[in-house]
């Protein structure tokens, strides 16, 4: 038995390339700059939870967009009717429609024809080629509105335009390496590393910045065509609706200082705007005019003399930062519609550095624990398995680099868990080879049979975990997706390192050492192989205990319930660090006096760190921003040494969507695994796996309720991973049962199940132990960002190991016995039916003739 030289060469090239691609991630920038340019330089980009920064999700306000478009459509409708000499009695806006009443109903057809010319042709989608307007006539009344496809097109165009405006605004304030991308139909994701002032970001990105110049009503009196507006100090102005000149004509805007050294914003028009501005100021000397931004008066100076230079200035109670923000918005241009900040997350750079340090510590310790355990289990052959694990880790980082993935703290958890799951393949292979060796097979025969029989089990186990990863990626967002990517890459790469690489290396070592028999001996003698435990004797006890625990978990879910994080209930969550031990009572007293409703405080990590949660505020996003500002000010007032290291602000829409997506993802993942097991095995296996899965998930939910851990997006990731891991564990036992059912067709099902569990007991113990060891450091040192994942997963591994033996197997035994009894009953019924047929049945009956 020899390896193909080309195969060995291919594997060597893959490993060397992977090492070169992953190497820049371990080098500091100073060293990376000195290595030759032809070598790889790319590094895995770090998420905001590791490097600090702000994450905002903005949504196009569809109602505001429709309102703006209807206002424009109103003016266009009046213009086109006037140009065609069609006399309307009135042209008014009624909710989301424009209603035209004609003085002469006989002109209705002509009016409809002209009004339809105001529509735009939809260029893409199933409605391509159609108008975005719906124009209907009822006698002399004509209704104009946007069709559903037209509204969708308007939103799509608004998002595309908003992306460019946001990019220009962010560039204006000099943020390095921003991430600005579209997500979904009407949302934009903005990630700004290092930007630590979310209130300024909200002001920069959430304002439409529609600037216009209007004359004021004589004597500042309200009336038709007049809108009452206010400035920042609450003064009211009667502003004429007619726009004298719009902000589209601005060519530049800068911050300068007046004679009293107060910040002002100077602006300049383009040539056409300068001419128009000169005409307006020449005709209105001595009259006041208003500079309006987003329906708010910035200033209302009196025109003292004609302004012919095409420039002016806006004064007000500006700080330097607010003046710079206004100037940046004016230079970038106006947004087509209002953008609402529906999700905001901010992580301080210090907290990100702590997360990197904790993640690295946990990862290194987890890898060391797994490697030590494998070495104890398999002795010198364990060294090969550990080399495969090291290559697995290196190739995982090279794959993350190649696909341009963003590494988050949950992503590090995914890498660590991937190491634990990769061990599963090594354990399966080594245990199979040991089994074949005990049957008396030679070294090469044991290797060949061991790998062949373990391969199908590895494929089935990895497929179930990949299903969970795919569902996580599809329904998750941000860090949860990062976790799904790293776990999926780890599972795929393990097929190369734990199967292909280990097989080639084993064959080569065996051939070079001319081994006749392959003995994989542990350092510490431990042999569960000769046990003949009758597990099914305890089936009723196991099912009863599991059912009672699940019922208790459901009761805990009802009361006291889950400690829902801000992801699912919306609101504000802040991480606060103090120099000395935080006085929670003092903070609680001060923060509850702000009038923000329920404010909860909780210590985590150490006595110097606390979590502040405030309920969702009424009044939209502005109320949320104001609440964040109040909380920060009060925290610093109570303890001047306190710093806010992280902030999450989640709106009601996002929290509802996340909750629904979380429930849906768990259900879909479970159903997908059900169908996969049904396809690969038989329906009793699938039913047993799903029933056991439900019991495992309820216990995990009960664990969250009992411990009070945050139930957030990371918790959903933990449950989905637990679903995949639990089914993976069942698949290994099921695979052996299926194999034994084919070998021992006359053996009672109960004995087959006991035999199969005993034969896979070593694998189950070893795999669960390695997965537990890989997660244990993350559970201890991972910090609040991953505790909702690592701690429940460590608990879930123990539950999954027990349920495979005491729940899934008894259910399979019950269903199998029922099916056999049913088959016998059907057969007996058929035999009885045959016996009662008369001897002459079917013979032609003689008749008297």
């Amino acid at each position: 038995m020899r390896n193909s030289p080309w195969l060995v060469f291919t594997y060597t090239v893959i490993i060397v390339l992977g090492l070169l691609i992953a190497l820049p991630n371990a080098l500091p920038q100073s060293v990376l700059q000195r290595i030759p340019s032809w070598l790889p330089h790319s590094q895995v980009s770090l998420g905001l939870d590791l490097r600090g920064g702000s994450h905002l999700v903005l949504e196009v306000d569809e109602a505001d967009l429709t309102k703006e478009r209807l206002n424009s459509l109103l003016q266009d409708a009046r213009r086109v009717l006037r140009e065609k000499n069609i006399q309307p009695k009135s042209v008014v806006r009624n909710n989301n429609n424009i209603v035209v009443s004609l003085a002469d109903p006989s002109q209705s057809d002509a009016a409809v024809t002209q009004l339809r010319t105001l529509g735009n042709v939809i260029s893409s989608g199933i409605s391509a080629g159609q108008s975005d307007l719906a124009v209907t006539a009822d006698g002399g009344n004509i209704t104009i509105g946007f069709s559903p496809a037209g509204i969708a097109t308007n939103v799509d165009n608004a998002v595309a335009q908003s992306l460019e405006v946001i990019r220009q605004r962010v560039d204006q304030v000099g943020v390095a390496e921003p991430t600005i991308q579209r997500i979904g139909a009407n949302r934009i994701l903005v990630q700004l590393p290092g930007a630590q002032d979310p209130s300024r970001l909200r002001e920069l990105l959430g304002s439409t910045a529609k600037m216009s110049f209007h004359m004021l009503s004589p004597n500042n009196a309200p009336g038709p065509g007049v809108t009452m507006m206010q400035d920042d100090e609450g003064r009211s102005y009667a502003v004429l609706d007619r726009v004298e000149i719009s902000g589209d004509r601005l060519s530049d805007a800068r911050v300068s200082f007046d004679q009293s050294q107060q910040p002002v914003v100077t602006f300049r028009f383009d040539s056409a705007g300068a001419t128009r501005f000169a005409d307006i100021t020449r005709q209105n000397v001595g009259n006041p005019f208003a500079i309006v931004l987003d329906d708010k008066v910035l200033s209302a100076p009196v025109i003292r003399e004609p302004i012919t230079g095409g420039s002016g200035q806006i004064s007000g109670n500006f700080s330097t930062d607010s003046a710079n923000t206004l100037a940046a918005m004016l230079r970038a241009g106006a947004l087509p519609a209002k953008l609402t900040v529906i999700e905001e997350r901010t992580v301080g750079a210090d907290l990100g550095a702590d997360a990197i340090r904790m993640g690295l510590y946990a990862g290194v310790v987890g890898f060391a624990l797994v490697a030590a355990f494998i070495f104890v289990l398999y002795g010198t052959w364990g060294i090969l398995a550990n080399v495969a694990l090291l290559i697995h880790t290196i190739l995982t980082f090279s794959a993350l680099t190649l696909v341009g993935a963003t590494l988050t703290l949950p992503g590090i958890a995914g890498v660590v868990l991937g190491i634990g799951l990769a061990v599963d393949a090594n354990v399966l292979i080594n245990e199979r080879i040991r089994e074949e060796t005990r049957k008396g097979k030679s070294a090469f025969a044991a290797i060949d049979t061991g790998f062949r029989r373990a391969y199908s089990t590895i494929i089935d186990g990895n497929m179930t975990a990949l299903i969970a990863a795919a569902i996580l990626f599809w329904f998750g967002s941000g860090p949860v997706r990062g976790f799904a990517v790293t776990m999926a890459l780890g599972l795929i790469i393990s097929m190369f390192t734990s199967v292909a690489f280990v097989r080639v290396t084993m064959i080569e070592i065996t051939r070079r050492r001319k081994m006749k028999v392959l003995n994989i001996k542990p350092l510490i003698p431990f042999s569960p192989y000769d046990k003949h435990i009758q597990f099914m004797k305890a089936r009723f006890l196991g099912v009863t205990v599991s059912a009672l625990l699940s019922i208790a978990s459901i009761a805990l879910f009802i009361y006291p319930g889950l400690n829902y994080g801000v992801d699912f209930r919306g609101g504000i969550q802040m991480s606060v660090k103090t120099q000395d031990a935080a006085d929670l009572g003092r903070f609680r007293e001060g923060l509850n006096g702000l009038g923000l409703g329920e404010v909860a405080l909780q210590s985590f990590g150490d006595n110097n760190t606390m979590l502040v949660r405030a309920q969702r505020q009424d009044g939209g996003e502005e109320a949320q921003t104001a609440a964040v500002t109040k909380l920060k000010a009060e925290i610093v007032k109570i303890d001047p040494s306190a710093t806010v290291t992280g902030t999450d602000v989640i709106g009601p829409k996002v929290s509802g969507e996340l909750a629904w997506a979380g429930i849906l993802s768990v259900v879909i993942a479970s159903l997908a695994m059900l169908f996969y097991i049904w396809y690969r095995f038989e329906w009793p296996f699938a039913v047993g796996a799903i029933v056991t899965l439900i019991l495992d998930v309820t216990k995990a939910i009960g664990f969250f309720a009992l411990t009070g851990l945050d139930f957030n997006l990371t918790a959903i990731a933990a449950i989905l991973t637990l679903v995949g891991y639990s089914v993976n564990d069942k698949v290994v036992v099921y695979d052996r049962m299926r194999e034994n059912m084919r070998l021992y067709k006359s053996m009672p099902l109960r004995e087959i199940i006991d035999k199969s569990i005993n034969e896979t007991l070593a694998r189950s113990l070893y795999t669960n132990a390695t997965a537990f060891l890989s997660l244990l450091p993350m559970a201890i040192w991972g910090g609040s960002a991953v505790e909702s994942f690592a701690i429940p997963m460590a608990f879930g591994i123990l539950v999954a190991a027990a349920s495979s033996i005491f729940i899934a197997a008894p259910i399979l035994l019950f269903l199998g016995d029922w099916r056999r009894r049913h088959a016998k009953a059907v057969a007996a019924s058929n035999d009885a039916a045959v016996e009662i047929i008369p001897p002459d049945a079917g013979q032609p009956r003689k008749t008297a003739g």
Side-chain angles (χ1 to χ4, degrees):
M1 191 174 187
R2 301 178 65 90
N3 290 314
S4 165
W6 284 108
L7 190 66
V8 174
F9 174 75
T10 302
Y11 288 177
T12 304
V13 169
I14 291 172
I15 294 169
V16 171
L17 286 176
L19 179 62
L20 289 175
I21 294 169
L23 185 60
N25 294 290
L27 299 177
Q29 284 295 331
S30 57
V31 176
L32 198 59
Q33 291 171 357
R34 294 200 298 269
I35 66 175
S37 59
W38 53 271
L39 286 173
H41 284 68
S42 299
Q43 294 179 312
V44 176
S45 59
L46 300 180
L48 295 183
D49 57 349
L50 294 178
R51 58 176 171 170
S54 292
H55 161 113
L56 293 95
V57 177
L58 305 111
E59 184 177 71
V60 170
D61 189 328
E62 187 177 304
D64 180 72
L65 176 64
T66 302
K67 174 187 171 184
E68 291 294 324
R69 295 294 168 89
L70 285 173
N71 287 340
S72 175
L73 189 61
L74 183 71
Q75 302 300 325
D76 290 341
R78 287 171 175 164
R79 173 184 55 78
V80 74
L81 293 175
R82 184 172 59 251
E83 290 174 352
K84 298 300 179 180
N85 295 319
I86 299 174
Q87 185 64 38
K89 285 194 294 186
S90 65
V91 181
V92 296
R93 178 184 160 195
N94 183 15
N95 295 324
N96 289 329
N97 295 303
I98 302 296
V99 178
V100 178
S101 295
L102 298 176
D104 182 2
S106 64
Q107 293 183 305
S108 177
D109 290 343
V112 168
T113 301
Q114 296 303 319
L115 291 172
R116 282 178 176 163
T117 63
L118 300 176
N120 297 314
V121 176
I122 299 172
S123 59
S124 61
I126 59 175
S127 301
Q130 300 178 17
S131 173
D132 63 345
L133 287 183
V135 182
T136 58
D138 182 12
N141 295 322
I142 301 172
T143 302
I144 314 166
F146 289 104
S147 65
I151 293 174
T153 301
N154 289 340
V155 171
D156 182 72
N157 293 336
V159 172
Q161 186 179 341
S162 298
L163 278 170
E164 296 306 315
V165 173
I166 288 173
R167 284 195 183 97
Q168 292 182 41
R169 290 187 183 182
V170 171
D171 288 343
Q172 296 287 349
V173 295
V175 176
E177 300 180 15
T179 298
I180 303 168
Q181 63 188 39
R182 181 174 188 162
I183 53 173
N186 61 345
R187 292 178 184 175
I188 297 172
L189 168 68
V190 180
Q191 290 185 333
L192 306 177
Q196 296 302 313
D197 187 359
S199 59
R200 187 185 176 199
L201 285 175
R202 280 173 172 263
E203 184 182 357
L204 179 67
L205 303 178
S207 299
T208 54
K210 289 189 176 179
M211 188 173 176
S212 54
F213 296 81
H214 303 251
M215 300 308 298
L216 295 183
S217 172
N219 301 319
N220 206 29
V226 175
T227 300
M228 299 303 297
M229 298 183 185
Q230 293 184 329
D231 62 11
D232 285 331
E233 296 182 359
R235 291 188 292 262
S236 295
Y237 299 88
V239 179
L240 296 179
D241 291 340
R242 178 182 173 184
V243 176
E244 300 293 342
I245 184 170
S246 71
D248 295 343
R249 291 298 180 183
L250 291 175
S251 62
D252 194 17
R254 301 287 171 185
V255 176
S256 60
F257 295 89
D258 59 17
Q259 295 179 349
S260 59
Q261 295 303 304
Q262 293 298 312
V264 295
V265 176
T266 60
F267 58 86
R268 180 173 294 279
F269 290 105
D270 58 18
S271 57
T275 302
R276 174 62 181 156
F277 194 56
D279 292 341
I280 294 169
T281 54
R282 186 178 298 110
Q283 296 167 9
N284 293 279
V285 173
N287 296 325
F289 80 115
I291 304 173
V292 176
L293 180 73
D294 293 341
D295 297 328
K296 181 181 288 186
V297 176
L298 291 178
S299 61
V302 174
I303 302 172
R304 302 297 181 189
E305 58 185 14
I307 303 173
T308 56
S311 63
Q313 73 176 31
I314 306 169
S315 59
N317 294 322
F318 294 128
S319 64
T320 303
D321 283 345
S322 62
N324 276 315
T325 299
L326 175 59
M329 290 191 296
L330 295 180
R331 286 196 301 272
L335 290 168
K338 182 181 177 183
L339 294 178
T340 303
V341 180
I342 59 173
E343 181 182 347
E344 172 195 314
R345 301 181 191 270
T346 304
V347 178
D350 292 340
L351 188 61
D354 290 343
I356 292 176
R357 187 171 60 255
M358 288 188 297
L360 289 176
Y361 287 164
V364 170
V365 174
F367 185 92
L369 288 174
V370 170
F373 186 71
I374 290 295
F375 182 63
V376 170
L377 283 182
Y378 302 121
T380 52
W381 286 105
I383 297 174
L384 173 60
N386 287 332
V387 169
L389 281 182
L390 182 61
I391 294 173
H392 172 274
T393 306
I394 292 171
L395 292 182
T396 300
F397 275 94
S398 65
L400 290 172
T401 304
L402 285 175
V403 301
T406 299
L407 186 64
T408 61
L409 192 54
I412 294 176
V415 173
V416 175
L417 182 64
I419 292 171
L421 293 175
V423 173
D424 184 37
N426 280 306
V427 171
L428 278 168
I429 290 166
N430 282 314
E431 293 304 317
R432 275 291 192 176
I433 292 174
R434 273 179 171 173
E435 189 176 333
E436 299 303 320
T437 300
R438 288 196 303 275
K439 292 178 182 177
K441 290 189 177 180
S442 65
F444 287 123
I447 291 173
D448 183 58
T449 308
F451 271 93
R452 180 164 43 83
R453 291 190 171 177
Y455 189 73
S456 64
T457 308
I458 293 169
I459 289 291
D460 286 334
N462 283 356
M463 277 301 299
T464 54
L466 281 171
I467 288 171
I471 300 298
L472 271 174
F473 183 82
W474 185 262
F475 288 98
S477 61
V480 174
R481 280 192 162 192
F483 168 79
V485 169
T486 54
M487 189 175 78
L489 287 175
L491 287 167
I492 294 168
I493 292 169
S494 72
M495 293 300 297
F496 169 72
T497 57
S498 300
V499 180
F501 168 76
V502 170
R503 180 187 173 93
V504 166
T505 310
M506 265 192 167
I507 292 172
E508 194 64 24
I509 292 172
T510 304
R511 187 181 66 82
R512 288 182 179 274
R513 293 191 177 185
K514 299 179 180 179
M515 295 179 179
K516 301 297 182 183
V517 178
L518 191 61
N519 287 317
I520 303 177
K521 296 180 179 179
L523 290 185
I524 301 174
F526 174 68
S527 179
Y529 312 105
D530 299 326
K531 308 294 183 187
H532 298 287
I533 304 170
Q534 294 181 330
F535 289 101
M536 291 303 95
K537 280 189 174 181
R539 62 188 184 278
F540 294 113
L541 177 63
V543 171
T544 302
V545 170
S546 177
L548 289 174
L549 288 175
S550 291
I551 291 170
S553 296
I554 294 171
L556 288 170
F557 172 74
I558 297 171
Y559 182 82
L562 298 175
N563 180 24
Y564 291 104
V566 69
D567 291 331
F568 291 150
R569 63 179 179 180
I572 302 164
Q573 179 172 291
M574 289 182 177
S575 302
V576 180
K577 196 170 186 65
T578 56
Q579 188 172 348
D580 300 319
D583 186 347
L584 292 184
R586 188 175 162 210
F587 274 103
R588 189 174 287 110
E589 182 182 355
L591 296 177
N592 280 330
L594 295 176
L596 301 177
E598 180 187 357
V599 179
L601 281 77
Q602 171 190 340
S603 289
F604 70 92
D606 54 46
N607 293 331
N608 298 61
T609 311
M610 67 177 180
L611 208 60
V612 178
R613 287 193 182 96
Q615 68 184 44
R616 192 168 59 237
Q617 304 296 303
D618 296 329
E621 300 307 318
E622 293 78 7
Q624 300 275 51
T625 303
V628 170
T629 305
K630 281 185 181 179
L631 286 169
K632 287 183 177 179
E634 186 65 22
I635 287 169
V636 175
K637 180 181 176 182
I638 295 170
D639 186 347
S641 72
T643 55
V644 177
T645 56
T647 305
D648 290 345
V649 182
I650 306 296
K653 190 171 185 179
V654 172
S655 61
E657 289 174 357
L658 292 177
W660 173 245
I663 295 169
L664 198 62
S665 59
V666 173
V667 172
I668 290 176
S670 302
L671 290 176
M673 292 177 193
L674 165 68
F675 288 121
Y676 181 79
I677 294 175
W678 200 320
Y679 169 75
R680 290 289 292 156
F681 296 88
E682 294 180 32
W683 70 264
F685 291 90
V687 172
I690 289 301
V691 171
T692 310
L693 196 59
I694 293 170
L695 294 173
D696 287 352
V697 170
T698 55
K699 292 181 186 69
I701 297 290
F703 182 79
F704 274 103
L706 186 65
T707 58
L709 288 170
D710 266 9
F711 195 79
N712 49 26
L713 282 178
T714 311
I716 291 293
I719 289 178
L720 276 173
T721 308
L722 179 59
V723 166
Y725 185 85
S726 176
V727 175
N728 177 29
D729 204 59
K730 278 70 178 164
V731 163
V732 174
V733 181
Y734 281 173
D735 190 72
R736 182 57 65 95
M737 290 178 185
R738 179 177 58 179
E739 183 180 329
N740 285 334
M741 284 176 183
R742 293 168 180 168
L743 291 174
Y744 310 103
K745 294 183 179 179
S746 61
M747 183 182 289
L749 181 59
R750 176 171 170 175
E751 293 181 23
I752 288 177
I753 291 176
D754 276 337
K755 180 179 177 61
S756 302
I757 294 174
N758 278 283
E759 288 174 348
T760 57
L761 184 60
R763 175 266 165 196
S764 296
L765 291 174
Y766 298 159
T767 300
N768 287 308
T770 51
F772 183 83
L773 288 174
S774 69
L775 285 168
L776 187 61
M778 191 66 68
I780 297 172
W781 296 303
S784 61
V786 293
E787 69 175 6
S788 293
F789 171 83
I791 297 175
M793 269 300 297
F795 166 79
I797 285 170
L798 302 178
V799 171
S803 66
S804 297
I805 298 172
F806 297 108
I807 310 300
I811 291 173
L812 182 62
L813 176 60
F814 168 76
L815 292 174
D817 284 344
W818 173 83
R819 189 165 66 163
R820 287 186 178 183
R821 289 195 303 270
H822 181 68
K824 286 181 180 179
V826 171
S829 175
N830 291 335
D831 289 343
V834 169
E835 288 174 3
I836 64 174
I837 296 176
D840 62 346
Q843 299 295 325
R845 183 174 296 178
K846 294 181 179 181
T847 59

